[in-house]
Amino acid sequence: MNLTKLSSIFQRVRRNISTSPYLHLAATATIAFSLLVIGVFAMLYVNISALIHSWQQDVRVVAYLKDELSEEWVESLRQSFAKLNGVEEVTYVSKDEAMARLRRQMKHRLSLLEGLRENPLPASFELQLVHGAQTPENLDLLASQLRGFPEVEDLGYGETWFNRFSGFIGFFRLASLIIGGLVIAITVFVCANTIRLTLYAKREEVEIMRLVGATDAFIKTPFYVQNLIEGLLGGLVALVLLFGSFKFLIARIQTPDALLSSCDIRFISFTWCAALLAAGMFVGWFGSYLSLKSFLRS
Amino acid sequence: MITGTGAEPVIQLFHVHKRYGSQTAINDINLTVTKNDFVFITGPSGAGKTTLLRLLFLQEAVSEGQILVNGINLQRIRRAKIPLFRRSMGFVFQDFRLINSYTVYENIALVLETTGQDIRHIRKKVPHVLRMVGLEDRIHAYPPRLSGGEQQRVAIARAAVSNPFILLADELTGNLDTDAADMVFGLLRQLHSRGTTIIVATHDSRLFDKARARIVFLNQGRLEGETKS
Ligand SMILES: Nc1ncnc2c1ncn2[C@@H]1O[C@H](COP(=O)(O)OP(=O)(O)O)[C@@H](O)[C@H]1O
Ligand SMILES: [Mg+2]
């Protein structure tokens, strides 16, 4: 590839775009839109994953104890629990402390608790799982071990929401893949079509080029370059729009007294951004490839 | 077999036939063109002149027989090698085949761009060849704004710009006025003097005295004879 061919390629790219600017604008917009959709899914995925991760830090099993256990007994239980597989930390909550917590939570409806003659709340141990091993399986394993203790009357752990959420994340991932794939396929189709239309408009020119000794590569390259540029441009537009709406959203919901103020929404990583740009260029390239493959055979 | 005077054969046709369905456009032609020949192929409309040139340029494949160009059998040239093969030739098409959205300059420069020649060379070479056909002042015009004769001269300039080994010109005719015809043949003679082999198809016998050449008669796809001008 020398300077002459390079300048010839870019002249033809410029010509292609200037003869049908709206076609190429539409193609770029389509790429931008589909990458934006994918970017939104990426944002959701990244943030939901982060949220779930932070919840996992907090996964614990509560073992409610039978009443009237002696202090020594409780102490020996604590030591046995601490030795169980996967347990990071064991915290004892006495009956009185449980009641104190309840009072704190219900401080506006204390009257409801007035009528109680004795404390109905059980003492309990809270077992924190080892960091990094907070999977539903480990949780179940620990629970079944705890059920083997006669002193444990009942267990409390977020097994249902936890499992449901793991399931949801799997479903979300699948749905994202399907929607992403669909959007990409449509965009490839649109890109292939802009090339097909351009080729059709330029069939005479292409035919003449062949007659004067142009190779297929010489003829094809501008169409690839043109779609690569549109893919890159579409990717940049999508990223700018995504970042813009992200900033807008952040400004809206992170007011001091809002419900979600503690929520830490983050933007997709640099790798994700690069992947979106690469996806845009791939879509453009592949669209060109599909159209050119059949066209130049004829 | 009708042969030229030189020693080195550049184009050889052996029992070449070209059929379109039941129609025979070229019928059992044997012909040898040697290096630096100047050949007129003449004959009435429909004689097969265009078809013969298209066969030489690999725009069509023979139905039967063999064509050798520089000793290479055209049937053996792979598709991917056709561009390379065509670059060694210049072709003036009957309908000119200029790109209407390219200026005269761009049309001619394209030939040199495909071979990746230096831009500075292209910028010098294109005006030079246009001057030879008297169109230097139309260098930035678009073909649809030119007369038929002017378009033909651009087509000739484009075919000549790469100093081709063989130049094929289809139907150089009365589209050209006397001055233009003189310029065109001046260019062809210059190429010829540099060793280019030239084949001109025409049904216009007035062109024969423009060059010392072999004149080959074609009729209904058959080669009927040859003289010299
Ligand atoms: N692509 C084609 N399909 C069918 N018939 C053709 C085709 N090209 C040429 N012919 C026929 O072949 C014969 C020779 O045509 P052509 O080579 O164009 O003659 P000339 O150039 O001498 O006027 C004509 O009868 C023409 O109708
Ligand atoms: Mg003809």
Side-chain angles (χ1 to χ4, degrees), chain B residues 23-63:
Chain B
Q23 174 113 6
T24 301
I26 293 292
N27 195 352
D28 197 29
I29 287 190
N30 291 294
L31 178 68
T32 298
V33 175
T34 51
K35 183 158 167 47
N36 208 210
D37 268 357
F38 197 127
V39 183
F40 281 113
I41 296 176
T42 191
S45 187
K49 304 181 292 293
T50 298
T51 305
L52 185 60
L53 296 184
R54 287 169 63 90
L55 290 173
L56 292 176
F57 200 56
L58 271 179
Q59 271 182 284
E60 299 279 355
V62 298
S63 306

Side-chain angles (χ1 to χ4, degrees), chain B residues 90 159-160 184 194 222 224:
Chain B
V184 164
R194 288 195 203 138
R222 285 187 177 278
E224 296 205 323

Side-chain angles (χ1 to χ4, degrees), chain B residues 138-192:
Chain B
R138 312 308 302 273
I139 191 163
H140 296 303
Y142 288 89
R145 312 298 298 268
L146 303 177
S147 73
E150 286 172 326
Q151 288 186 31
Q152 188 172 53
R153 280 187 279 158
V154 174
I156 292 165
R158 180 180 64 185
V161 74
S162 56
N163 293 324
F165 184 69
I166 300 169
L167 186 121
L168 308 171
D170 195 4
E171 215 63 60
L172 291 190
T173 58
N175 259 333
L176 300 166
D177 61 39
T178 322
D179 283 353
D182 285 345
M183 275 188 279
V184 164
F185 276 87
L187 175 60
L188 292 185
R189 273 195 301 271
Q190 193 189 70
L191 285 174
H192 185 239

